[in-house]
Amino acid sequence: MKRRILIWLLCAFIPVISGAAYIFIAWQKPPVEELSEARLGLTEAEKVNRSPAAEIIFQHAVSQYDSAMLLWQLENDKIFFLRDYSQIIKLSDQSKQLAQASIEKARSENSDMKEILLQRKKQLTRRIEYYQSVFKHLPLSKSQRNEWAKGRMLLQEGIFAYNKHNYELTIQKFDSAELFINKIMNYSTRLIEDYFKSYPNWKHWSQSAIVNSRKHKTYCVIIDKYARKCMLYNKGVLQYECDIELGLNWIGDKKHQGDKSTPEGVYKITRKKKNGETIYYKALLLNYPNDDDKKRFIQNKKKGIIDRNANIGNLIEIHGRGGKGTDWTDGCIALEDTDMDILFEACKAGTEVVIVGSLKTYEELFK
């Protein structure tokens, strides 16, 4: 009887124990899926270009994942029915959430950075465009030209990096480009500001020439170096205007022979050279150096501004063979041959020629 009861009890409890064991084992299923999802989240976050703030969140996610893996190893060393994976699952979920937060933070800040860098790109591009529009004829040294070219090249490299969403490299390239661009821009601005201090003289010379042309019913020629224009007046009225090219070192007054500067002042035509009398098609020889030039040349020697063995130079002309699109003369004023024909026909020996830096003020041109 007792044996029957024992068998009956065993048969009754075996299903209960088996069910309980099954539930226990199922409940304690290893957190492989949770850890895999956390690892996948970290992998995705690693692909994102992270900002410093996003990097902090990402490193926290990595720390949570590493802690989960360490706990898993410790739990696996225990007897299976004593293992507890709940903390591992919690850390895995936290790591996954932090990885996603890192991605969202990076994308948000990258979006902000993208806009900031876009504005920087536009600003630097506008600076270059401005320089090209107002300073492109300024004479620069070889090293300055190289620096300007370097700045433009770095800007293009920065734009390339920007288009590739490499914002860290973009910042580096833009910073370097800005240094070169600003250096040349600042130099050019100071040069022009100093140059335009002579504007009152330029204005007086040009206005006097126009008044004399009107008063004496004669022709006069006004050369605007900055605007690259030659203007022919008759009886005080503008009759013709054309483009010109100047000496390589055109800015400022001519100081001595060989400086490749185009002189500034009030001159007279002393001789007309027909085609065949000059290698430059036709030419109008000016009375450079005039008395003011000679006086200034002597003063500059005394001050040590120029070498005491330097010569003042001569043979400054308005001549043909221009149209090269750049400054190339040794100090003369070059016109295209068709323009030279018109000027040559209108002018004669004694015609007044005024050469100024600009007919417009600094404020009109640069403000």
Side-chain angles (χ1 to χ4, degrees):
M1 184 67 181
K2 290 181 179 180
R3 187 176 179 182
R4 285 183 184 179
I5 295 172
L6 181 61
I7 293 172
W8 183 83
L9 289 173
L10 285 173
C11 291
F13 278 105
I14 284 174
V16 174
I17 293 170
S18 298
Y22 176 80
I23 293 172
F24 179 80
I25 293 171
W27 178 65
Q28 287 295 318
K29 184 179 68 173
V32 175
E33 183 178 345
E34 290 82 355
L35 286 168
S36 295
E37 290 179 356
R39 179 65 260 178
L40 181 61
L42 291 175
T43 301
E44 292 300 314
E46 284 178 335
K47 298 176 183 178
V48 179
N49 185 18
R50 298 183 298 278
S51 64
E55 180 65 23
I56 293 173
I57 300 173
F58 175 75
Q59 291 302 328
H60 193 191
V62 172
S63 177
Q64 297 295 86
Y65 178 80
D66 290 344
S67 296
M69 291 297 294
L70 179 61
L71 278 178
W72 192 20
Q73 292 176 5
L74 294 175
E75 291 299 322
N76 284 340
D77 290 337
K78 298 177 181 179
I79 300 174
F80 78 93
F81 57 81
L82 294 179
R83 295 171 187 169
D84 182 2
Y85 296 132
S86 60
Q87 185 64 19
I88 299 171
I89 294 171
K90 181 179 179 181
L91 290 171
S92 298
D93 288 342
Q94 288 177 351
S95 176
K96 180 181 175 181
Q97 293 171 11
L98 287 168
Q100 184 59 36
S102 169
I103 293 173
E104 293 173 359
K105 183 67 173 178
R107 286 175 177 170
S108 173
E109 294 194 353
N110 281 343
S111 177
D112 295 340
M113 180 58 67
K114 182 179 180 180
E115 180 60 28
I116 291 171
L117 291 176
L118 176 62
Q119 296 306 316
R120 244 190 120 181
K121 181 186 77 168
K122 291 180 178 179
Q123 181 188 43
L124 289 170
T125 300
R126 283 196 297 267
R127 297 210 79 187
I128 288 178
E129 291 173 349
Y130 175 78
Y131 185 93
Q132 292 299 108
S133 67
V134 300
F135 293 146
K136 64 180 180 180
H137 292 299
L138 287 189
L140 299 176
S141 67
K142 183 178 179 180
S143 63
Q144 288 172 324
R145 291 195 300 272
N146 289 340
E147 288 178 327
W148 180 250
K150 180 71 172 177
R152 296 185 65 178
M153 182 185 70
L154 286 166
L155 174 59
Q156 291 306 311
E157 291 176 354
I159 293 173
F160 182 80
Y162 174 83
N163 292 335
K164 293 292 184 179
H165 309 293
N166 189 342
Y167 299 140
E168 183 177 351
L169 181 59
T170 302
I171 292 171
Q172 294 174 10
K173 294 296 183 179
F174 281 2
D175 285 347
S176 298
E178 191 170 32
L179 288 175
F180 287 110
I181 292 170
N182 285 349
K183 181 178 180 181
I184 301 303
M185 286 287 290
N186 291 338
Y187 165 80
S188 300
T189 300
R190 289 193 302 269
L191 182 65
I192 286 294
E193 287 176 348
D194 186 62
Y195 183 49
F196 270 74
K197 291 177 182 178
S198 297
Y199 176 77
N201 289 334
W202 303 337
K203 181 179 179 181
H204 173 70
W205 297 339
S206 58
Q207 288 182 343
S208 296
I210 294 171
V211 169
N212 288 336
S213 172
R214 184 184 303 113
K215 180 179 179 180
H216 301 293
K217 296 180 173 51
T218 57
Y219 283 97
C220 76
V221 177
I222 296 178
I223 303 295
D224 185 329
K225 291 168 68 175
Y226 185 82
R228 293 298 192 281
K229 294 294 181 181
C230 171
M231 288 154 280
L232 177 65
Y233 284 81
N234 183 27
K235 301 176 183 178
V237 178
L238 180 64
Q239 297 291 311
Y240 189 73
E241 180 177 301
C242 63
D243 296 329
I244 61 173
E245 292 153 359
L246 302 169
L248 283 169
N249 190 31
W250 64 269
I251 196 166
D253 205 352
K254 189 170 184 65
K255 294 181 176 64
H256 59 84
Q257 185 179 38
D259 63 5
K260 299 187 181 298
S261 293
T262 301
E264 297 173 6
V266 180
Y267 300 97
K268 300 286 186 181
I269 295 174
T270 60
R271 181 185 170 191
K272 296 177 66 174
K273 297 181 181 180
K274 300 177 183 179
N275 189 13
E277 297 178 336
T278 172
I279 62 172
Y280 298 113
Y281 180 61
K282 294 176 181 178
L284 301 171
L285 180 65
L286 305 183
N287 66 327
Y288 174 86
N290 61 22
D291 291 340
D292 289 336
D293 295 322
K294 293 173 183 176
K295 181 179 178 180
R296 184 170 55 254
F297 179 75
I298 293 171
Q299 290 175 342
N300 286 340
K301 272 194 172 184
K302 290 180 178 179
K303 293 177 181 178
I305 295 175
I306 58 177
D307 190 276
R308 61 181 181 178
N309 294 321
N311 295 318
I312 193 169
N314 56 14
L315 299 178
I316 297 297
E317 299 175 335
I318 302 174
H319 59 62
R321 298 292 187 250
K324 302 181 187 299
T326 187
D327 294 321
W328 57 276
T329 76
D330 288 332
C332 294
I333 299 156
L335 282 63
E336 291 190 34
D337 291 349
T338 52
D339 295 322
M340 192 64 215
D341 284 335
I342 294 172
L343 202 66
F344 194 87
E345 180 67 25
C347 296
K348 62 182 181 180
T351 297
E352 189 172 37
V353 176
V354 174
I355 306 174
V356 300
S358 175
L359 293 176
K360 292 184 177 181
T361 66
Y362 177 88
E363 288 71 25
E364 288 177 292
L365 292 170
F366 306 107
K367 296 298 184 181

